[in-house]
C-alpha cells in the first residue's frame, strides 16, 4: 500500500481532476521506482510522498514525471549553489532565512485552493549574499513544500513578490544566466505548479528585469504574471485581503510567527537535507547524448529547454 498522507474531501476531488486513481496509486509509484532503479546515472529519493508530488505535478503522466525527476536531480548536481542545500544549519543559510524573505502562508487561497507564498525582496545585503544564496534558500523551502504540503502539490502555488525594499543592486544579481537556471528549474524540474505570480511595490528598474525573464517562460506562465505596482487594490481583486498576512492588513497569519514556525521546520528536516547529498546524477553514466549545459545556460548561448528522456 502506498505510504502517503490521506487527503481531505476537497483535495481528493482536486487530485481526481489531475488523474489520481487511488486504486492505481501503488502501481504508478512502483513504476516510477522501477524506472529510477534502471537509470545508471540517477540516484533519487524514492519515498512515496516525494514521488507522488511529481505524479500530481505532471497530472499522472509517467513520462513527464520521469523527465521532471531526472531534471530535478540533474540541475541539483550541476548547480548545487543554486538548487541544492545540504546543510540547513549553516550560519549564513540560517541568517538569510531569518530575514523572512520567503514565507508560505498558513491558509491556502479561498480556503482550499493554491498555497500562497510571500517573497519580500531586498531584505538582505547584496555585499554579503549573492543571488545564488537567495535562490538556494528558496529552493530548500520549496523542497519542504514538496514533502509536506498537499495543497501546494495538488492545487499549485500563488506567488506574491513585494519589492518595496529592493534596490538596483538586488536586480543586478538576477543575471541572465541565473534567470535561465531559475526559469528552467521552475518549469522543467519542479512538480509544484505556479498558478500565478503577482508583483507589488515595484521600483524603477523592475521592468528591465521583468522583460528579461518573461520571454524565457512558457506562454501559459507568462499569462499568469501580474504587475500591480503600488496598487494594492489591484492585487486584492485576485488575492482577497483576508488571505494576505496581518502585516498587509489581512488575516492569514503573522509573518514573524510564520518565520519562527519555519525555523522549527528547518530543524525537523536537518537530516533530510544532509541525506540529499547522496542524491543526484552522474553525467558520465547517462545513457545517450550528454547534456550541453553551456549551450543551455551560457550567457551567450541561445535559450533552449532542457531535453532529457
Amino acid at each position: 500500500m502506498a505510504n502517503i498522507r490521506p487527503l481531505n474531501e476537497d483535495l481528493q476531488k482536486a487530485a481526481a481532476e489531475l488523474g489520481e486513481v487511488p486504486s492505481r496509486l501503488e502501481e504508478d509509484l512502483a513504476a516510477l521506482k522501477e524506472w529510477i532503479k534502471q537509470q545508471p546515472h540517477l540516484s533519487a529519493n524514492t519515498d512515496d510522498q516525494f514521488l507522488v508530488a511529481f505524479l500530481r505535478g505532471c497530472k499522472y503522466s509517467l513520462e513527464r514525471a520521469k523527465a521532471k525527476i531526472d531534471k530535478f536531480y540533474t540541475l541539483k548536481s550541476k548547480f548545487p549553489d543554486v538548487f541544492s542545500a545540504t546543510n540547513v544549519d549553516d550560519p549564513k543559510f540560517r541568517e538569510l532565512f531569518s530575514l523572512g524573505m520567503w514565507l508560505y502562508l498558513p491558509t491556502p487561497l479561498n480556503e482550499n485552493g493554491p498555497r500562497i507564498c510571500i517573497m519580500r525582496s531586498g531584505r538582505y545585503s547584496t555585499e554579503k549574499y549573492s543571488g545564488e544564496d537567495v535562490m538556494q534558500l528558496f529552493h530548500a523551502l520549496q523542497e519542504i513544500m514538496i514533502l509536506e504540503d498537499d495543497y501546494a502539490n495538488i492545487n499549485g502555488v500563488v506567488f506574491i513578490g513585494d519589492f518595496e525594499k529592493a534596490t538596483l543592486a538586488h536586480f543586478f544579481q538576477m543575471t541572465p544566466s541565473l534567470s535561465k537556471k531559475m526559469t528552467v528549474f521552475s518549469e522543467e524540474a519542479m512538480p509544484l505548479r505556479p498558478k500565478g505570480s503577482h508583483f507589488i511595490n515595484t521600483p524603477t528598474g523592475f521592468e528591465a528585469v521583468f522583460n528579461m525573464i518573461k520571454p524565457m517562460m512558457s506562454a501559459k506562465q507568462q499569462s499568469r504574471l501580474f504587475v500591480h505596482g503600488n496598487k494594492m487594490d489591484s492585487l486584492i481583486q485576485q488575492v482577497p485581503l483576508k488571505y494576505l498576512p496581518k502585516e498587509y492588513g489581512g488575516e492569514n497569519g503573522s509573518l514573524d510567527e510564520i518565520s519562527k514556525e519555519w525555523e522549527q521546520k528547518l530543524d525537523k528536516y536537518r537530516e533530510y537535507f544532509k541525506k540529499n547529498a547522496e542524491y543526484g546524477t552522474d553525467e558520465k553514466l547517462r545513457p545517450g547524448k550528454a547534456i550541453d549545459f553551456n549551450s543551455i545556460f551560457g550567457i551567450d548561448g541561445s535559450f533552449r529547454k532542457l531535453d532529457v528522456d
Side-chain angles (χ1 to χ4, degrees):
M1 187 173 179
N3 184 23
I4 63 171
R5 286 182 300 274
L7 301 175
N8 64 36
E9 186 175 347
D10 288 327
L11 286 174
Q12 286 177 30
K13 292 178 181 177
E17 292 177 3
L18 299 177
E20 184 162 309
V21 179
S23 62
R24 202 182 64 207
L25 192 52
E26 188 172 2
E27 178 184 341
D28 290 336
L29 289 168
L32 270 187
K33 292 176 186 179
E34 181 60 27
W35 173 80
I36 291 170
K37 184 178 178 181
Q38 293 174 358
Q39 305 309 303
H41 68 293
L42 175 63
S43 176
N45 183 358
T46 56
D47 176 76
D48 285 353
Q49 195 69 59
F50 178 80
L51 293 181
V52 78
F54 284 85
L55 289 171
R56 289 167 173 167
C58 296
K59 297 184 178 180
Y60 275 81
S61 165
L62 279 172
E63 295 310 308
R64 286 178 57 205
K66 291 174 186 177
K68 271 193 184 285
I69 291 168
D70 197 334
K71 293 167 189 176
F72 184 83
Y73 285 110
T74 296
L75 295 177
K76 276 177 165 288
S77 295
K78 181 63 178 177
F79 306 110
D81 59 330
V82 182
F83 302 122
S84 188
T86 56
N87 180 13
V88 296
D89 290 321
D90 178 78
K92 187 177 182 182
F93 181 94
R94 284 288 179 134
E95 185 179 45
L96 185 56
F97 170 79
S98 71
L99 299 176
M101 287 189 304
W102 302 96
L103 293 172
Y104 290 89
L105 306 185
T107 303
L109 184 62
N110 301 322
E111 305 300 323
N112 55 14
R115 182 63 63 189
I116 303 169
C117 177
I118 291 278
M119 179 199 73
R120 296 184 291 171
S121 182
R123 298 175 65 86
Y124 66 96
S125 166
T126 55
E127 295 181 359
K128 188 170 185 178
Y129 301 103
S130 67
E132 286 79 4
D133 293 332
V134 174
M135 294 314 301
Q136 187 188 72
L137 169 64
F138 172 55
H139 288 298
L141 303 185
Q142 276 196 315
E143 195 157 347
I144 291 175
M145 299 302 282
I146 290 174
L147 295 165
E148 69 170 40
D149 192 331
D150 295 319
Y151 286 100
N153 284 303
I154 294 172
N155 292 330
V157 180
V158 169
F159 292 95
I160 299 174
D162 183 349
F163 290 86
E164 183 180 11
K165 295 184 179 297
T167 66
L168 283 177
H170 292 101
F171 288 126
F172 286 149
Q173 287 190 332
M174 191 55 65
T175 63
S177 178
L178 181 58
S179 298
K180 288 180 182 181
K181 292 169 187 171
M182 177 185 72
T183 304
V184 170
F185 195 83
S186 175
E187 293 200 358
E188 302 284 313
M190 280 298 296
L192 304 181
R193 291 170 295 126
K195 304 302 286 187
S197 295
H198 301 268
F199 305 105
I200 59 174
N201 298 320
T202 50
T204 302
F206 175 82
E207 187 174 344
V209 176
F210 181 78
N211 290 337
M212 176 186 70
I213 296 175
K214 188 175 180 179
M216 300 178 187
M217 298 180 174
S218 67
K220 179 185 286 187
Q221 291 308 323
Q222 288 187 41
S223 72
R224 294 173 174 173
L225 300 176
F226 304 92
V227 180
H228 302 284
N230 295 320
K231 301 174 182 177
M232 284 297 292
D233 288 346
S234 176
L235 170 66
I236 292 168
Q237 288 178 12
Q238 301 199 44
V239 182
L241 184 62
K242 69 174 291 187
Y243 296 106
L244 296 180
K246 292 178 181 178
E247 288 83 349
Y248 291 78
E251 304 171 17
N252 204 354
S254 159
L255 293 176
D256 286 341
E257 291 175 4
I258 295 168
S259 184
K260 291 175 183 176
E261 291 173 4
W262 271 82
E263 282 278 3
Q264 296 176 358
K265 283 187 189 291
L266 290 176
D267 293 339
K268 174 184 173 183
Y269 284 95
R270 177 181 292 115
E271 296 305 316
Y272 170 86
F273 282 103
K274 286 181 181 178
K275 189 171 179 60
N276 254 352
E278 301 173 10
Y279 301 136
T281 58
D282 183 343
E283 294 305 315
K284 295 178 182 177
L285 300 177
R286 180 184 293 276
K289 187 179 179 181
I291 298 173
D292 184 356
F293 288 101
N294 289 331
S295 176
I296 297 170
F297 294 107
I299 293 177
D300 296 324
S302 59
F303 176 76
R304 292 195 299 275
K305 286 192 175 182
L306 190 58
D307 184 14
V308 181
D309 290 333

